[in-house]
Amino acid sequence: MPAHPTEPARTSYDVVIIGGAMVGSAIAWFLADSPDFTGSVLVVERDPSFEHSSTAHTNSCMRQQFTTKINIRISQFAADYVKSFRQRMGGDERIPEIAFDRFGYMYLAATPEAAAGLRTAQALQASCGAGTRHLSPDQVAAEYPFYNLADILAANHNTQDEGYFDGTTLFDWWRRKAGERGVERIAGEVTAIGRAGNRVTGVTLSSGTTIAAGHIVNATGPRAARTASMAGLVLPVEPRKRYTFVFSAEAPLPRPLPLTIDPSGIHVRSDGALYMAGCPARPDPAVEPDDFTQDFTLWEEHVWPALAHRIPDFERIRLVRSWVGHYAFNTVDQNAILGSHPQATNFILANGFSGHGFQQAPAVGRGMAEWIAHGHYRTLDLSSLHLERIEARRHLTEAAII
C-alpha cells in the first residue's frame, strides 16, 4: 500500500476538503471530533510533502494585536487552544505540551498618524481583554534599551499570549487523530468541480476519477481563486511572496527580541539562539503559486540596513538561511473569507487569510465544522467574515497586516 493513496476508497463523500495543509487539516479534525457529525470526509492534497505550502513556510506566530474585534477573538481562542491542546484532543497522553514562547509583538510608529492608529488599536484590544500596552519611546527604552528609537513616536506591546507557538505539532496531531477517526486522505490534484445551479456536486481528479460530494471545502491557500474558478466562482485572493531571513548576531541581545514590526516594513524576532526577519517583496505583485524565486538583493539593500538602523547591534550579523513563501492575500480587505459561497451554498470557503491562517486555524476549523454540521455557528460567530461582506462592499479591513 503506498504511503499516500492516490485514489479514494469510495465514490461519494459527505465532505471533500481540497487542500490538506494547516487549515484543511483543522477543518477535517473538528469534523471528525464533532459528536453531531457522522458523515464521511475526504481530504485531497496535491503535495502531501507540503514542501511548497504556506504551512511549511510559516513563521508560526500568534498575536491579539489586530484592528478588528473578530480577529482578536479568533486569536484568543487559538491561544487558549494551544495552551490546552492535549485536553482538547481528548487527553491523549501521546500528545506533547505545545511550546509557546511569549516574547510578544512590538509595533513601532514613526508618524503621528501611525501613533494614533496604535492608540486606537490598543483601546480595542484592551476592551477585548488583550494585554496590549501603549508605550512612549522612553517606556520602550526602559525595557528594551537595544532599540534605536530616535525616529519613533509610540509603540504597542503585548506579551500576554503573543509570540511563537509550535503549530507544527497541532498540524501533525490533527492529521493523525483525524485519520484514526476515519478521515481519508489522498494525494491528488483536483482539476474540475461539478456544479448544478447554486450547489457544487463533486470533484474530478487529474487521474480522471470523479467523486461526488455533499459539501466541498476550498482550503487551497494561495491557489484559492483557481480552485473557486473550477466551479465558475470568483474570489479576490492571490499569491504574494513573503521573505524570511534567519541570521545570527555577533553580539546577541541581552533578552528575547519581541516580534518587532518596524515602520520600514521589516519585522524581526528571536528564533532560539538566532533571529528571524521577514518582509514583502519589493514591489509586491501577485505571482504564480509555484514561483518561489528569491530576490537576493533584498537582504543586502533593504532588510539588513533596516535591521541595523533599528537595532545597532544588528550591524554585525550573518545570514544563515532564507526562503520565500506565499501569503494567500485577500486583495479587498486582507481578512479571511469564510462560510458558504452565496452562489454555491455547499461550497465552503476557508481562504484569504493574508498571513494569519496558521494562528487562525483552530477557530476556523471549529467554525467551518459547525457550519457544515449545523448550518450556523455554535461558538464564535464568524459570519462577519463571509464573502457577502465583500460583494455588498461592507469591507472589514484589517490594518495590522505584516
Side-chain angles (χ1 to χ4, degrees), residues 27-50:
I27 296 169
W29 161 249
F30 277 93
L31 282 170
D33 191 48
S34 172
D36 301 314
F37 179 81
T38 57
S40 54
V41 179
L42 174 69
V43 179
V44 182
E45 170 53 48
R46 64 188 304 274
D47 175 20
S49 74
F50 301 104

Side-chain angles (χ1 to χ4, degrees), residues 260-380:
T260 303
I261 298 89
D262 190 70
S264 65
I266 304 298
H267 59 86
V268 59
R269 67 167 173 88
S270 289
D271 187 41
L274 301 173
Y275 299 91
M276 179 180 286
C279 67
R282 287 165 62 103
D284 187 25
V287 298
E288 292 298 313
D290 55 357
D291 178 4
F292 294 93
T293 304
Q294 295 192 54
D295 175 2
F296 290 101
T297 68
L298 197 59
W299 169 257
E300 292 282 347
E301 296 180 4
H302 178 52
V303 178
W304 188 0
L307 293 174
H309 170 73
R310 186 59 56 213
I311 301 174
D313 284 340
F314 283 172
E315 179 65 42
R316 297 173 296 162
I317 57 179
R318 181 177 64 86
L319 183 63
V320 175
R321 60 184 178 274
S322 63
W323 64 84
V324 167
H326 291 146
Y327 272 12
F329 194 81
N330 172 353
T331 61
V332 176
D333 62 14
Q334 292 76 65
N335 259 319
I337 303 173
L338 305 177
S340 298
H341 196 290
Q343 299 170 33
T345 56
N346 62 332
F347 188 63
I348 307 301
L349 309 174
N351 308 121
F353 295 99
S354 303
H356 310 138
F358 213 65
Q359 66 178 297
Q360 294 189 332
V364 170
R366 180 183 65 172
M368 295 305 96
E370 292 172 348
W371 189 261
I372 291 168
H374 306 290
H376 62 271
Y377 299 112
R378 290 190 163 187
T379 51
L380 181 61

